[in-house]
Amino acid sequence: MQEPHLAWKPVEPPSRAPLQGERVLLRPVEAAVDAEPFFAATHPPAAEESIWRYMFDGPYGSADEMRQAMEGVEAVDDPLFFTILPGDGERPLGRAAYMRIEPGHGVIEIGGILFAPELQRTTGATEAIYLTIRHAFDLGYRRVEWKCDANNEASRRAAERFGFTYEGTFRQHMMIKGRNRDTAWFAITDEEWPQIRAGFEAWLAPENFDAQGRQMRRLEECRG
């Protein structure tokens, strides 16, 4: 009997092609276009500065400062940052990145995730994560990772809601903004993905929402 993955071949890194969903569009960062509206959506008074607590960067002192930071990652392939725009495609309300990309091993991480309050806890936010995970597995990756500060309870809950499995905590893994970070590791493997993908698709289906847009079944329930 053939061992699992014996026939697997190295894959390509993700490209800069946009990821289009029903509710959101993910496209590569465009600093000149994104900085000002994204700054407005993720800084007071639209958002509390606390949403930046566990980020490697931010909060920023001005839209121009954010633009300069965005310019620094705009042409970088790892991390490869995408801006998340709602269905109207007009205002950036989130970001996410592929990072620690290892095509030779088929391993990729989704990180740098930041949702403006307007995007948080919306169907579009869940779809954005689904699109990034799906694209990675469609490219042939064997493992998609999610890492966060072990104290970031919201990120840990989100990882488990999306179907990631907790694998352990790396103690004293990093220093971020002058603080120690213990890092919690989560992952989805390609063997687990078909069931998790079916759950996402069942949850995102129009029939899972009532006339007021409220979910009929939770994402965890849709995975069975």
Side-chain angles (χ1 to χ4, degrees), residues 124-200:
T126 296
E127 185 183 47
I129 300 300
Y130 163 68
L131 291 171
T132 56
I133 301 171
R134 185 185 71 180
H135 184 57
F137 283 119
D138 285 351
L139 288 173
Y141 283 81
R142 304 183 306 123
R143 171 183 170 89
V144 176
E145 297 179 336
W146 177 294
K147 303 185 184 82
C148 65
D149 190 305
N151 291 321
N152 189 345
E153 292 294 337
S155 185
R156 296 180 69 129
R157 288 194 302 270
E160 292 174 347
R161 175 177 177 265
F162 294 138
F164 289 84
T165 297
Y166 171 67
E167 296 182 331
T169 296
F170 281 33
R171 297 173 299 164
Q172 298 188 186
H173 183 216
M174 298 179 183
M175 289 294 295
I176 305 296
K177 298 177 180 175
R179 302 188 306 271
N180 171 65
R181 168 171 146 164
D182 296 344
T183 300
W185 289 53
F186 298 81
I188 297 172
T189 67
D190 56 353
E191 286 128 348
E192 298 164 337
W193 174 238
Q195 181 179 2
I196 293 170
R197 176 174 182 162
F200 270 114

Side-chain angles (χ1 to χ4, degrees), residues 35-58:
E36 188 169 341
F38 195 47
F39 177 85
T42 57
H43 289 75
E48 298 290 334
E49 286 194 359
S50 59
I51 69 171
W52 294 92
R53 176 174 175 79
Y54 296 110
M55 296 289 103
F56 289 102
D57 63 325

